[in-house]
Amino acid sequence: MINDSTEPMKLEAETVITTFENYGEAWGLYIGLTLLLAGLVWFSFRKQHFLLKWLLTSIVLAGALCFGHPAEDVETYSPLILNTMVELFDGNKEQFFSDIQFIAMIWGILFLFGTAVWLLICYLRKGNKEGAPAKQKENRRVEQKESTQEEPKVSERSSEKKPIEPTIGDDV
């Protein structure tokens, strides 16, 4: 008879744990905060090389945005990194390593994709500079001559300086 009285309580607790009213809004807020964190990491390392910034930012994105079911027979999702920590604390090492491998695989794909896009952009920019028609090159030469003839004041020069983003091959 004791089992009969605790049965409804158990079902109610499972319902509260697996579903809640603001599930979509919670995920929206979580994804927004994750993107904010990734932006802060990127901004913190803004003077560093692109690959270092992308490495750290992609780790944050992959770690936070992989999702999985928190338990068997549960329809909702939660961040996989949280599920992984619960598996570790519960002593389920097989599932822990499986989750870590999945997160690492997603990070690797994300990092390689971002690096490939960056290299493609660098290649296209370099190609545009080298492959410019002769008329554009002549116009640049004339503009450079005019700019060297008129020496700007020291205060004007310092305000016009822009930081230069390092690229692959700068160290050569």
Side-chain angles (χ1 to χ4, degrees), residues 52-155:
L52 177 63
K53 291 187 291 191
W54 181 237
L55 172 78
L56 298 173
T57 304
S58 63
I59 289 171
V60 169
L61 291 173
L65 295 180
C66 287
F67 55 90
H69 295 290
E72 295 178 27
D73 304 328
V74 176
E75 295 178 13
T76 59
Y77 291 95
S78 66
L80 189 59
I81 194 72
L82 297 177
N83 298 347
T84 304
M85 292 301 112
V86 170
E87 295 295 340
L88 179 65
F89 294 137
D90 286 347
N92 190 352
K93 291 182 180 179
E94 288 179 24
Q95 186 64 37
F96 170 77
F97 287 117
S98 173
D99 291 348
I100 291 294
Q101 286 175 347
F102 180 74
I103 292 171
M105 181 185 68
I106 295 298
W107 168 79
I109 292 169
L110 184 64
F111 182 74
L112 290 175
F113 179 75
T115 303
V117 168
W118 175 69
L119 289 172
L120 178 66
I121 290 170
C122 289
Y123 176 76
L124 293 175
R125 281 186 184 169
K126 189 176 183 180
N128 284 342
K129 288 180 183 177
E130 292 175 358
K135 188 173 184 179
Q136 288 179 352
K137 288 182 180 180
E138 184 62 32
N139 288 341
R140 288 184 194 151
R141 287 185 196 138
V142 171
E143 289 173 6
Q144 287 175 352
K145 267 188 180 178
E146 291 173 358
S147 66
T148 56
Q149 290 173 355
E150 300 173 13
E151 280 294 318
K153 295 178 182 176
V154 175
S155 62

